[in-house]
């Protein structure tokens, strides 16, 4: 059910959920300080209670409402990447709902870079907890109609068009002047490292993990098989007896060698490919074939977040 900004604000203030657009993916939003509203998010998504939510705020100035500490490194990163596809995990103030932080001592915060999302945050005066607006482990939605497909027609959706970034935010936890990368995204590890002046901590047991980073994730309903090269994919199609659809990176003459297999093509530019990725997978799911075959992206830093999502989808 589509709603406009005014209706969305009324619903959110009443403690209802509304699916909202952001630049990354659509989020299933609710008032981050209303436990009853937060419980609805978990129920609708069928999400485990120990998987915390990201709190979306209108500006970095609201950090102090949520985080007990805002170290200089976190301030620097917020200044560089907000509004944008970047989430900071910081020690939480004691009053922050245990539901929103999935019982963690920390809270995840993000200022989204989407006109409608920012308008909602500013005009409502609320902070909005919003996980991706899909059922647990499924593909994230990048259009209003993807939300309806995953969560049903009854969910109120604010339609803000197709998401421009297309995959979920980069998540970084900051403790003092150290940082850890919890989820890859289109804000690159290298750009964070440059600002931090040092590399990320790896596998520190005493740092918070992102509990939601299950290996099975971001999955279409159709099983996915990931191939190291287009050649390997084509060779598989030649011998496979299953009906299939292929997702390829960039055009090429060899596509003609794919008999009996529909295909979609992503851009050769990583940023554009990220924008197209989930829409392509949603579309291929609707082909109703037995297998989705995906060509692995180039082995280069700007493709790492896309490779991460495809690897999880194929798990
Ligand atoms: O781009 C995005 O981040 C989108 C849009 C809607 O903002 N949201 C999103 O939310 O991807 P979700 O819930 O699908 O993924 C949030 C991730 C989960 O893996 C969760 O475990 C992690 O963030 N997370 C949230 N709070 C955390 C915390 N306090 N400590 C560690 N990880 C946290
Ligand atoms: Mg998600």
């Amino acid at each position: 059910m589509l709603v406009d900004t005014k209706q969305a604000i009324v619903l959110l203030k009443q403690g209802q959920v509304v699916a909202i657009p952001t630049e990354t993916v659509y989020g299933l939003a609710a008032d981050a300080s209303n436990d009853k509203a937060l419980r609805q998010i978990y129920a609708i998504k069928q999400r485990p209670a120990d998987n915390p939510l990201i709190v979306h705020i209108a500006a970095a100035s609201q950090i102090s409402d949520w985080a007990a500490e805002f170290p200089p490194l976190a301030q620097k990163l917020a200044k560089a990447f907000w509004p944008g596809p970047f989430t900071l995990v910081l020690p939480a103030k004691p009053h922050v709902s245990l539901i929103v932080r999935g019982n963690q001592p920390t809270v995840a915060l993000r200022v989204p870079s989407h006109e409608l999302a920012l308008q909602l945050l500013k005009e409502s005066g609320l902070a909005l907890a919003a996980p991706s607006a899909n059922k647990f482990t499924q593909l994230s939605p990048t259009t209003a109609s993807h939300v309806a497909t995953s969560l049903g027609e009854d969910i109120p959706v604010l339609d803000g068009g197709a998401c421009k970034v297309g995959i979920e935010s980069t998540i970084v936890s900051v403790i003092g002047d150290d940082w850890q990368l919890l989820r890859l995204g289109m804000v690159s590890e290298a750009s964070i490292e440059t600002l931090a002046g040092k590399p990320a901590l790896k596998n520190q047991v005493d740092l918070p993990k992102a509990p939601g980073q299950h290996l099975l994730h971001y999955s279409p309903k159709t099983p996915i098989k990931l191939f190291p090269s287009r050649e390997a994919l084509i060779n598989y199609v030649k011998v496979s007896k299953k009906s299939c659809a292929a997702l390829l990176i960039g055009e090429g003459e060899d596509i003609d060698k794919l008999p009996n297999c529909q295909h979609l093509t992503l851009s050769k530019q990583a940023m554009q490919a990220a924008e197209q990725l989930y829409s392509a997978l949603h579309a291929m799911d609707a082909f109703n074939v037995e297998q989705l075959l995906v060509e692995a992206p180039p082995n280069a830093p700007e493709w790492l977040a896309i490779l991460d999502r495809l690897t999880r989808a194929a798990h």
Side-chain angles (χ1 to χ4, degrees), residues 20-28 45 47 50-56 85-87 89-90 100-102 104-110 112 130-134 140 167-171 173 182-183 208-214 217-218 309:
I20 64 163
T22 81
E23 79 282 30
T24 57
V25 301
Y26 275 71
L28 184 63
K45 277 187 63 89
R47 176 173 173 122
D50 64 353
N51 189 350
L53 309 175
I54 296 173
V55 177
H56 297 70
F86 179 77
T87 297
V89 172
L90 295 169
V100 84
R101 53 183 156 120
Q104 298 286 317
T106 50
V107 61
L109 295 156
R110 172 164 115 81
S132 51
N134 53 276
S140 295
I167 63 175
E168 303 80 356
S169 60
T170 303
I171 306 181
S173 109
L182 301 184
R183 181 171 70 188
K209 299 206 170 51
Q213 293 300 292
H214 295 261
H217 218 132
Y218 313 113
R309 300 307 188 273

Side-chain angles (χ1 to χ4, degrees), residues 134-140 150 168 214-224 278 281-282 285 292 308-315:
N134 53 276
K135 290 255 165 74
F136 184 59
T137 77
Q138 287 184 359
L139 269 186
S140 295
S150 181
E168 303 80 356
H214 295 261
L215 207 44
L216 170 72
H217 218 132
Y218 313 113
S219 302
K221 296 190 186 78
T222 320
I224 285 201
Y278 288 144
L281 289 173
H282 278 284
D285 232 358
L292 302 183
D308 169 76
R309 300 307 188 273
L310 287 172
T311 308
R312 288 172 200 278
H315 188 71

Side-chain angles (χ1 to χ4, degrees), residues 148-164:
T149 305
S150 181
L151 300 182
E153 298 285 347
D154 289 344
I155 294 289
V157 186
L158 178 66
D159 190 349
C163 303
K164 289 280 177 224

Side-chain angles (χ1 to χ4, degrees), residues 63-77:
I63 282 264
S64 57
D65 297 345
W66 300 91
E69 291 161 35
F70 191 22
L73 171 57
Q75 293 177 31
K76 203 172 181 182
L77 298 176

